[in-house]
Amino acid sequence: LPPRGRRPPPPIVLTEQPVADAIPIGRDAVRLGPRGHVWRSDADATVVWVEALDRGDPKVEVPHRDVLKTQDVSGGVAQDPVEVLRTEFRCKGVYWGDEECSLVLESEWKTRRSRWWNVAPGAASPPSDPYLEYHIDDRYNHPGSPMTVRLPNNHRILLKEDDKLVFNGVGGSDEGDRPFLDLRPLKPSDGGDIDRIWRCGSDCFEVPVA
């Protein structure tokens, strides 16, 4: 709160948009302009959002469909937005970790493909290769999703063990679903194995919670 007798700074207008009554028809169609504003969970007073680069129409042929941006609004002053990553498919969300590692998910309904990108928000350029790529419907080989840990401010960030990320998955198999926990290297290109540290037995059904 501002000192007594001093007016608080005026609110920051992040975006002003008309009613979204002209969204194209089809899967992966979205509205024009910025969408999905949330706080960046690993940084102070930083807003995150996504913007369509194809007018929100998945039928339009473009090299990138979305762009992920952040904006520092600390002290009630909005800094210039910063572009974090452009995605070939629709950006579906971000798991924030720190300035060296955050995971961005993109997917495309038509091809059922999904990708995770390991992004360093403070880096000068985005990564050239995805961290993970898989088919949404391939339950037997699905890598799972990153696990998170809750901070004192109630935000969640990526759960790490040494230099690895913790993933949990459903674990589809011929024996039914057998959930698992994997430790995945932060940078697969540097080598390192995926360690399966736990898997549910075939005689019961258990899931990990963090």
Side-chain angles (χ1 to χ4, degrees):
L1 294 175
R4 181 175 297 180
R6 182 180 299 176
R7 292 184 177 180
I12 297 173
V13 178
L14 297 175
T15 181
E16 291 185 82
Q17 301 183 54
V19 176
D21 58 357
I23 296 178
I25 297 174
R27 298 279 188 173
D28 287 334
V30 297
R31 68 169 302 150
L32 287 171
R35 68 181 193 276
H37 291 79
V38 294
W39 291 110
R40 180 174 159 181
S41 58
D42 66 325
D44 294 331
T46 302
V47 183
V48 185
W49 70 89
V50 178
E51 292 183 38
L53 299 173
D54 58 0
R55 303 195 300 275
D57 189 346
K59 301 182 187 68
V60 175
E61 296 293 332
V62 291
H64 299 97
R65 298 219 171 272
D66 280 339
V67 57
L68 175 69
K69 295 182 178 182
T70 64
Q71 186 174 30
D72 184 345
V73 294
S74 56
V77 179
Q79 305 299 322
D80 291 336
V82 176
E83 182 175 313
V84 178
L85 181 71
R86 293 188 174 215
T87 57
E88 181 182 351
F89 308 145
R90 281 280 176 251
C91 180
K92 299 297 184 178
V94 186
Y95 285 69
W96 298 99
D98 52 39
E99 284 296 321
E100 300 300 324
C101 174
S102 293
L103 295 183
V104 181
L105 175 64
E106 64 167 336
S107 66
E108 183 178 56
W109 175 265
K110 181 174 63 175
T111 60
R112 309 297 286 162
R113 294 167 63 195
S114 282
R115 296 186 187 126
W116 288 101
W117 292 88
N118 186 347
V119 177
S125 59
S128 57
D129 297 309
Y131 179 71
L132 276 174
E133 187 165 6
Y134 57 94
H135 196 279
I136 299 172
D137 294 331
D138 187 358
R139 291 176 60 86
Y140 283 18
N141 296 299
H142 198 291
S145 301
M147 297 193 75
T148 59
V149 60
R150 192 181 300 276
L151 298 176
N153 62 7
N154 213 35
H155 289 172
R156 301 190 74 94
I157 61 172
L158 289 170
L159 176 61
K160 297 181 184 179
E161 289 290 333
D162 297 324
D163 291 330
K164 293 190 174 183
L165 295 173
V166 183
F167 271 66
N168 72 328
V170 173
S173 73
D174 293 336
E175 301 174 304
D177 289 345
R178 295 180 58 193
F180 62 83
L181 280 177
D182 282 351
L183 295 181
R184 288 183 167 271
L186 285 172
K187 297 180 179 180
S189 59
D190 293 343
D193 297 325
I194 299 172
D195 299 326
R196 179 145 296 177
I197 58 176
W198 176 83
R199 190 174 189 185
C200 178
S202 59
D203 59 343
C204 62
F205 186 78
E206 302 172 299
V207 293
V209 177

